[in-house]
Amino acid sequence: MEKDTQMSSRKIPYAMYSDNWTYSIENYAELLKNHEAVTSNEYIRDVMYEKIFCPKCFTPLTRTPLVESRSRNNVLAYFKHLPSYSHINCMYRANKGEGLNYVNEEEAKEAVDNEQLVVIDSFMKEVPEVKNVDDDEDCYDSLIEDIDGPTTDVSISRHTGEKFSLPSKVTSVRAICRNFSKNLHKGYYLPNSNIALPLSDLLNDVSDIKAEDNDSKLYIGKITRSDHQGKEKRDNNIRMTFLSFKKGGGYADFCIKEEHSLQAKHKINDNSVGRYVIFYGKIEESGVGLCVTDLSYGELSLLPKKYNTIVQKLYDL
């Protein structure tokens, strides 16, 4: 798929379509309750014109171009805010990589309480005691993987050098994948970080990796092959799960190189081709390619299929 070269600002991954809601900041709960999430590919001009809204600030959106899938300059269609609402702050008007900052500790704590900011102390090492008992790989609703962590000093003040003491979570990548579309708009402060960013900015495209990286980061990639190594199918055998890769930096491929048992806990298997996976880890060299290894349970997850369209639009994967 060709890359969308159109803008340096954050993309709006989807719009909230409502046939009967009118913009009102006092009544956005009604929009949250009754809307349909549509990507720019799913937008129908005759049906949705003047009826789509930003999933973050709730102001009206438009689509450019309104009908065609690409502009005259061959730019993929995308959503954008209306100029008449430019006075309302929104993270989707900010430049990618611009950190989320808060005026004071009270404002930051309110963001945490309202689940708009998540401070992650660490990712879980082992399977939590409360597990998803449903065998449906896309059923994440019954899974609880958040544990209260320690109070953490976080550098997210608008005043340089000031830190806020905020409650943190011990969580998992799988918890991030649950309600993924909503989590994209939240700010996340990752372990050993010095900046809070929207999840949509923190996810790095595996296909763009060109070298080893000793700093753990969040990555997203599309599975192209997954093989259980060894003549006998043992849980402690290595499973090589290959992800879409551009062969950058002279490397031939990229894979998740982990025990079959760990990947099986996340339902990654021979039939996972075409699915998207998210992990948090370091990038290492492995033969002629690159890999991630030594992941804990909480540092890996398959993304539910229902979010495929959003991922394809947001990251061009």
Side-chain angles (χ1 to χ4, degrees):
M1 183 181 295
E2 290 184 42
K3 285 284 182 183
D4 180 354
T5 59
Q6 44 99 358
M7 52 185 170
S8 59
S9 59
R10 294 171 179 145
K11 294 180 184 178
I12 302 174
Y14 65 90
M16 302 171 81
Y17 162 65
S18 175
D19 187 48
N20 52 22
W21 189 77
T22 302
Y23 174 72
S24 169
I25 194 63
E26 289 79 20
N27 192 30
Y28 66 81
E30 181 65 27
L31 176 65
L32 288 172
K33 185 185 300 183
N34 300 303
H35 75 272
E36 179 184 348
V38 295
T39 65
S40 61
N41 294 335
E42 298 167 328
Y43 177 81
I44 303 172
R45 196 263 187 216
D46 292 343
V47 175
M48 302 177 184
Y49 183 67
E50 295 186 341
K51 296 179 181 180
I52 57 173
F53 305 90
C54 176
K56 184 61 179 177
C57 69
F58 312 115
T59 61
L61 299 176
T62 187
R63 180 184 183 265
T64 300
L66 279 173
V67 177
E68 304 299 327
S69 61
R70 289 178 177 268
S71 70
R72 292 179 181 178
N73 296 327
N74 202 34
V75 173
L76 291 171
Y78 62 93
F79 294 124
K80 69 176 184 178
H81 294 90
L82 298 180
S84 53
Y85 293 89
S86 60
H87 61 287
I88 296 176
N89 292 329
C90 182
M91 63 177 245
Y92 287 125
R93 288 196 184 93
N95 289 327
K96 185 173 182 179
E98 183 177 323
L100 305 177
N101 296 308
Y102 298 88
V103 173
N104 51 45
E105 190 166 282
E106 181 180 355
E107 184 183 70
K109 285 182 177 178
E110 184 177 348
V112 173
D113 291 342
N114 293 335
E115 298 184 346
Q116 295 303 304
L117 173 65
V118 182
V119 178
I120 298 179
D121 174 73
S122 60
F123 289 96
M124 293 178 173
K125 300 300 181 186
E126 305 293 338
V127 180
E129 291 184 8
V130 181
K131 297 184 284 292
N132 183 6
V133 296
D134 197 309
D135 196 42
D136 181 353
E137 65 184 0
D138 281 354
C139 180
Y140 283 59
D141 292 340
S142 59
L143 180 68
I144 301 174
E145 296 202 352
D146 281 330
I147 300 172
D148 290 338
T151 300
T152 304
D153 289 335
V154 179
S155 303
I156 54 174
S157 170
R158 290 182 184 172
H159 309 290
T160 305
E162 185 179 0
K163 292 186 177 182
F164 300 145
S165 295
L166 300 175
S168 69
K169 294 288 185 183
V170 177
T171 187
S172 68
V173 173
R174 187 167 179 173
I176 290 174
C177 289
R178 185 176 67 249
N179 296 323
F180 180 73
S181 58
K182 293 181 181 179
N183 291 338
L184 279 171
H185 317 309
K186 295 180 182 179
Y188 281 83
Y189 189 93
L190 298 179
N192 302 315
S193 179
N194 59 3
I195 189 172
L197 289 168
L199 177 62
S200 56
D201 282 9
L202 287 168
L203 287 168
N204 296 277
D205 183 350
V206 166
S207 65
D208 289 333
I209 298 174
K210 293 180 172 59
E212 296 178 278
D213 192 337
N214 289 324
D215 294 326
S216 291
K217 295 182 177 70
L218 276 174
Y219 293 91
I220 185 167
K222 186 174 184 179
I223 298 174
T224 57
R225 193 173 91 242
S226 188
D227 301 324
H228 191 156
Q229 306 296 302
K231 294 181 179 179
E232 297 183 17
K233 305 300 183 183
R234 297 191 177 97
D235 282 349
N236 61 353
N237 285 350
I238 293 295
R239 173 173 283 276
M240 305 280 281
T241 298
F242 291 88
L243 306 183
S244 180
F245 188 66
K246 295 177 182 175
K247 299 184 179 180
Y251 292 101
D253 53 39
F254 183 93
C255 75
I256 298 171
K257 190 176 181 180
E258 274 297 344
E259 286 190 356
H260 169 77
S261 59
L262 174 67
Q263 300 197 51
K265 290 173 184 174
H266 296 285
K267 296 185 170 62
I268 299 174
N269 52 47
D270 295 357
N271 300 317
S272 297
V273 174
R275 296 291 300 275
Y276 293 97
V277 64
I278 297 177
F279 64 85
Y280 177 79
K282 302 176 181 179
I283 307 304
E284 302 178 10
E285 192 173 278
S286 177
V288 297
L290 294 168
C291 77
V292 62
T293 188
D294 295 328
L295 295 175
S296 66
Y297 167 82
E299 294 173 336
L300 176 68
S301 181
L302 264 184
L303 188 69
K305 292 178 182 177
K306 61 184 177 182
Y307 300 123
N308 283 5
T309 304
I310 291 175
V311 170
Q312 289 161 2
K313 179 59 185 176
L314 192 60
Y315 301 100
D316 302 316
L317 290 174

